[in-house]
């Protein structure tokens, strides 16, 4: 980036910080901002620039954990998704559009698609959706019942989570992309997959022929 570009970026950030401070210190100004769509959207986008999802770790060292739980639903996986919210605003997960697969572009194990204004207001597959302001790392969790055949795997493998997460801010919603990987290691397969296999085998025997 050129020196002029760096200068423009610094000025933009200072103006953004100043306007954000003014809006926070003068309550009625925030009310006025909310009545002007283009300004409201500008504030929401500035907040979104200070938010990253699953971005602290590389594709080979993901900070997403997986557990397998057979109660009360069959063989459920849970993905812990870290969020860095450096803005002063408290965020709320209000929508997800995520694809889970054993490769970046291959067949999906499952999808999680939800918007709070079009579906269930508080679905059980989204846990801890609130992310406080100025938090370096907090996390929400997404639960998914994948295709049963995945529990036939007996060697370590990777699962990819990609898509977008929608956060509600004080000035509207923003979509943040996510692309991340979690490694299913031998210990998890040995300790949990056998339980899941038995569970889905009993519920869906046709998925495990022979």
């Amino acid at each position: 980036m050129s020196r002029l570009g760096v200068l423009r970026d610094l000025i933009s950030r200072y103006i953004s910080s100043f306007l954000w401070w003014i809006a926070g210190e003068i309550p009625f100004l925030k009310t006025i901002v909310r009545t002007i769509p283009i300004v409201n959207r500008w504030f929401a986008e500035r907040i979104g620039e200070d938010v990253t999802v699953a971005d602290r770790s590389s594709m080979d060292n993901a900070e997403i954990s997986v557990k397998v739980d057979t109660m009360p639903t069959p063989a459920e996986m849970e993905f812990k998704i870290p969020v860095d919210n450096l803005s002063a605003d408290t965020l709320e997960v209000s929508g997800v559009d995520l694809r889970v697969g054993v490769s970046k572009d291959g067949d999906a194990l499952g999808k999680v698609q939800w918007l709070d204004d079009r579906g269930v207001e508080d679905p059980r597959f989204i846990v801890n959706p609130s992310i406080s302001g100025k938090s370096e790392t907090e996390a929400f969790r997404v639960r998914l019942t994948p295709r049963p055949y995945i529990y036939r795997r007996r060697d370590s493998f990777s699962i990819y989570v990609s898509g977008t997460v929608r956060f509600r801010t004080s000035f509207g919603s923003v979509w943040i992309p996510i692309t991340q990987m979690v490694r299913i290691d031998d210990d998890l397969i040995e300790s949990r997959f056998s339980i899941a296999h038995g569970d889905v085998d009993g519920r869906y025997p046709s998925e495990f022929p022979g």
Side-chain angles (χ1 to χ4, degrees):
M1 183 182 293
S2 67
R3 291 182 179 180
L4 182 59
V6 171
L7 180 60
R8 281 199 301 261
D9 184 63
L10 286 173
I11 291 173
S12 176
R13 285 184 174 274
Y14 279 125
I15 292 174
S16 176
S17 297
F18 177 71
L19 290 175
W20 174 256
W21 179 80
I22 289 292
E25 292 296 316
I26 307 176
F28 80 86
L29 182 58
K30 183 179 289 188
T31 302
I32 293 174
V33 167
R34 287 174 175 168
T35 66
I36 308 173
I38 189 171
V39 178
N40 203 40
R41 186 62 192 167
W42 186 87
F43 272 94
E45 289 175 352
R46 299 292 79 74
I47 293 171
E49 290 176 357
D50 289 330
V51 180
T52 54
V53 181
D55 196 43
R56 279 182 159 270
S57 48
S58 70
M59 289 297 288
D60 295 324
N61 187 26
E63 290 187 35
I64 302 179
S65 60
V66 176
K67 71 177 185 179
V68 177
D69 190 1
T70 60
M71 296 296 292
T73 59
E76 190 173 70
M77 286 186 175
E78 182 178 278
F79 297 83
K80 182 180 179 183
I81 302 180
V83 179
D84 288 352
N85 176 22
L86 301 183
S87 79
D89 205 22
T90 296
L91 308 177
E92 189 83 13
V93 177
S94 62
V96 292
D97 184 4
L98 301 176
R99 175 190 178 280
V100 179
V102 292
S103 66
K104 296 178 183 178
D105 304 312
D107 292 340
L109 294 177
K111 294 182 179 180
V112 181
Q113 294 175 310
W114 166 73
L115 294 174
D116 66 342
D117 52 355
R118 296 184 184 179
V120 180
E121 183 177 352
D122 187 21
R124 62 172 298 278
F125 52 81
I126 303 290
V127 184
N128 298 331
S130 182
I131 308 294
S132 59
K134 296 295 184 182
S135 61
E136 289 192 1
T137 303
E138 291 189 18
F140 69 97
R141 288 173 287 161
V142 175
R143 292 171 176 166
L144 168 73
T145 301
R147 295 180 180 178
Y149 73 81
I150 193 63
Y151 297 112
R152 299 179 68 178
R153 302 291 292 264
R154 288 295 173 261
D155 297 318
S156 60
F157 64 100
S158 297
I159 288 180
Y160 291 83
V161 181
S162 60
T164 52
V165 179
R166 189 177 77 172
F167 293 97
R168 183 186 301 110
T169 77
S170 297
F171 298 95
S173 298
V174 291
W175 285 96
I176 307 296
I178 169 177
T179 300
Q180 198 53 279
M181 180 198 76
V182 59
R183 189 69 178 164
I184 306 298
D185 59 26
D186 293 336
D187 290 340
L188 179 60
I189 290 175
E190 183 177 351
S191 63
R192 303 303 299 170
F193 272 39
S194 59
I195 297 174
H197 184 287
D199 179 66
V200 296
D201 193 20
R203 294 173 189 255
Y204 312 109
S206 61
E207 294 283 348
F208 294 93

